[in-house]
Amino acid sequence: MTPDTPHAPPPEKQARNPLHGLTLEAILTALVEAYGWEGLGQQINIRCFTSDPSINSSLKFLRKTPWAREKVESLFLFMQREQRRGRL
């Protein structure tokens, strides 16, 4: 690189992002452990949780569907808050 080449800005710190460093698989696995597939399907009514659910098929769907992934991440954060409060 030459001195006059613009540099990309440094990546922003993710210290306040509770999902930073977690994979979607880890999030989904934690939700299934906490709620089970049936309970997860009741919390978020999408077919990948209610009809022949599996981690792999759910991950495939969630990676392609941003609105569903947002719901899963939101439920995970809710679950963490409730666990910290001793309610789950």
Side-chain angles (χ1 to χ4, degrees):
M1 273 191 205
T2 61
D4 58 309
T5 304
H7 298 291
E12 292 184 30
K13 298 277 183 195
Q14 297 271 333
R16 295 204 165 253
N17 181 354
L19 298 176
H20 181 69
L22 291 174
T23 63
L24 184 57
E25 183 175 5
I27 292 169
L28 184 58
T29 300
L31 288 171
V32 171
E33 287 175 5
Y35 294 102
W37 286 111
E38 186 175 331
L40 188 54
Q42 290 171 354
Q43 294 287 326
I44 305 172
N45 188 17
I46 52 179
R47 189 174 295 150
C48 69
F49 297 155
T50 60
S51 178
D52 195 25
S54 73
I55 295 289
N56 287 336
S57 66
S58 297
L59 287 173
K60 190 174 185 179
F61 175 76
L62 293 170
R63 287 182 180 130
K64 294 179 182 180
T65 317
W67 64 264
R69 182 180 181 139
E70 287 175 20
K71 286 181 179 260
V72 166
E73 290 172 346
S74 178
L75 180 60
F76 178 76
L77 293 174
F78 172 79
M79 179 189 75
Q80 283 192 320
R81 282 191 304 271
E82 293 300 297
Q83 285 175 340
R84 280 194 301 270
R85 293 176 180 163
R87 296 181 185 166
L88 269 180

